[in-house]
Amino acid sequence: MRTWRLTILTLLLAATAACDGQKKDRKAEAPPAPASQTAPATPSPPTTQPTELVSLAWRPSNSNQNLQAFDLEVSGLDVLAVCHVPPGWTINATGAGEGVTALKGQATVGAAFVSLDDMEDIAGLFLVRARPSETFAVKGDITTGTYGGDQTEIQATTALLRREAADRCPPPKG
């Protein structure tokens, strides 16, 4: 226990003894030893890295452009949870805890592509924890397109993923 807890515990025990209704000679009792002398201080538990929410930071350049898929390899962090899946999408996170995590997502039908009006669908996708001894890195690509049928693959960088402090996944959108 921490030393301040021992001090509080000692005070509570002394107060309980004073109120227990027994008539004892209080002068004969030795005062309680200070908490720092009763038990050695225990080391504090190791600190863990804080958790974060990860969002895709991609934005369409115009109202005709959309996000269709992503295929990423992320290192330097562990994916703790997939917080939500955009409507009409599938998302898989594999290899978490092994140093490199594969994050794959795709729209199952064209109507589910993420457009300018649907940017909240790619916010807060993953709950992660940074690996303290590793550098954050991203490899892979995202597939964008237009509603006319053109597709483009964009090389992924760390700037593609926006990270923000959070202790849990956000509540479901409703």
Side-chain angles (χ1 to χ4, degrees):
M1 283 198 290
R2 295 199 172 128
T3 57
W4 62 269
R5 290 180 183 164
L6 290 173
T7 304
I8 291 173
L9 184 59
T10 303
L11 289 172
L12 287 172
L13 288 173
T16 302
C19 296
D20 70 358
Q22 295 180 3
K23 307 264 182 185
K24 290 185 178 179
D25 184 11
R26 301 280 179 218
K27 294 178 187 174
E29 293 180 12
S36 61
Q37 294 176 0
T38 59
T42 57
S44 60
T47 59
T48 59
Q49 292 294 105
T51 54
E52 301 171 313
L53 278 179
V54 171
S55 305
L56 290 178
W58 174 84
R59 296 288 178 255
S61 59
N62 60 52
S63 61
N64 193 38
Q65 190 179 24
N66 56 54
L67 176 66
Q68 299 176 3
F70 58 87
D71 187 357
L72 309 173
E73 282 188 9
V74 181
S75 59
L77 53 83
D78 288 323
V79 176
L80 304 175
V82 176
C83 292
H84 74 272
V85 178
W89 277 64
T90 60
I91 292 182
N92 293 310
T94 56
E98 298 174 4
V100 175
T101 302
L103 302 173
K104 294 183 180 189
Q106 65 183 21
T108 57
V109 293
F113 294 158
V114 176
S115 66
L116 186 60
D117 295 334
D118 306 311
M119 290 293 94
E120 71 276 355
D121 288 345
I122 58 175
L125 289 175
F126 306 101
L127 184 66
V128 302
R129 178 173 289 128
R131 294 179 143 240
S133 60
E134 297 180 23
T135 303
F136 174 58
V138 178
K139 292 192 303 187
D141 53 56
I142 64 170
T143 303
T144 65
T146 62
Y147 289 105
D150 297 333
Q151 281 189 332
T152 304
E153 289 190 3
I154 299 171
Q155 197 69 27
T157 65
T158 55
L160 178 66
L161 299 180
R162 185 178 64 243
R163 297 163 57 184
E164 59 185 295
D167 58 350
R168 66 183 67 111
C169 288
K173 296 174 174 106

